[in-house]
């Protein structure tokens, strides 16, 4: 992922996380077929453009919740210098409001793989 334009946003309701997610995770309900994308949006008069590429397809749907859960856990762990945290899948399932069914474990795995493949 390449953030083409970055500016500080004074509005506390809009965080950098929100801005980044707006350009990474597709808001469409069905799985987007795109493998490369360029998203444009504006917040508080500041224009943003985010380009991305993913060989597994653009993240969508619950993938945004998975990303937020991982970032929350990373910050709770004190942002380790190694940039790594260990998280049981059941913890992520709970944080994104999915059940512990085999189907939701598959959804979680597919979402993690899509997110991991974004460049």
């Amino acid at each position: 992922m390449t953030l083409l334009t970055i500016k500080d946003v004074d509005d506390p309701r809009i965080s950098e996380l929100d801005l980044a997610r707006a350009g990474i995770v597709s808001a469409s309900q069905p799985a987007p077929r795109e493998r490369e994308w360029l998203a444009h949006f504006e917040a508080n008069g500041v224009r943003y453009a985010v380009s991305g590429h993913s060989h597994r397809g653009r993240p969508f749907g619950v993938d945004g919740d998975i990303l937020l859960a991982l970032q929350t856990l990373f910050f709770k762990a004190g942002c380790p210098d190694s940039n790594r945290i260990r998280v049981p899948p059941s913890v992520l399932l709970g944080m994104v409001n999915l059940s512990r069914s085999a189907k939701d474990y598959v959804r979680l795995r597919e979402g993690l793989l899509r997110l991991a493949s974004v460049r």
Side-chain angles (χ1 to χ4, degrees), residues 67-117:
L67 177 61
L68 181 58
L70 288 169
Q71 290 173 326
T72 299
L73 292 167
F74 184 78
F75 284 113
K76 281 185 174 182
C79 302
D81 290 336
S82 66
N83 286 327
R84 293 174 183 260
I85 56 173
R86 284 187 173 257
V87 181
S90 60
V91 170
L92 286 177
L93 287 171
M95 290 181 75
V96 299
N97 204 27
L98 293 175
S99 70
R100 290 187 177 178
S101 69
K103 180 180 175 183
D104 283 343
Y105 272 95
V106 170
R107 285 180 66 190
L108 176 64
R109 181 180 187 278
E110 289 172 350
L112 288 168
L113 290 171
R114 273 190 299 275
L115 288 167
S117 72

Side-chain angles (χ1 to χ4, degrees), residues 13 31-33 45 47 51 86:
R13 295 172 298 165
R33 300 199 189 291
R47 293 182 186 182
S51 67
R86 284 187 173 257

Side-chain angles (χ1 to χ4, degrees), residues 13-65:
R13 295 172 298 165
I14 301 172
S15 69
E16 289 183 28
L17 171 62
D18 295 327
L19 295 175
R21 286 178 63 203
I24 296 172
V25 179
S26 175
S28 67
Q29 288 298 324
R33 300 199 189 291
E34 59 202 352
R35 300 209 182 278
E36 292 187 27
W37 61 92
L38 179 61
H40 295 273
F41 55 95
E42 186 174 322
N44 285 349
V46 179
R47 293 182 186 182
Y48 295 87
V50 178
S51 67
H53 169 81
S54 174
H55 68 278
R56 293 186 179 270
R58 186 173 183 177
F60 68 98
V62 74
D63 298 354
D65 296 333

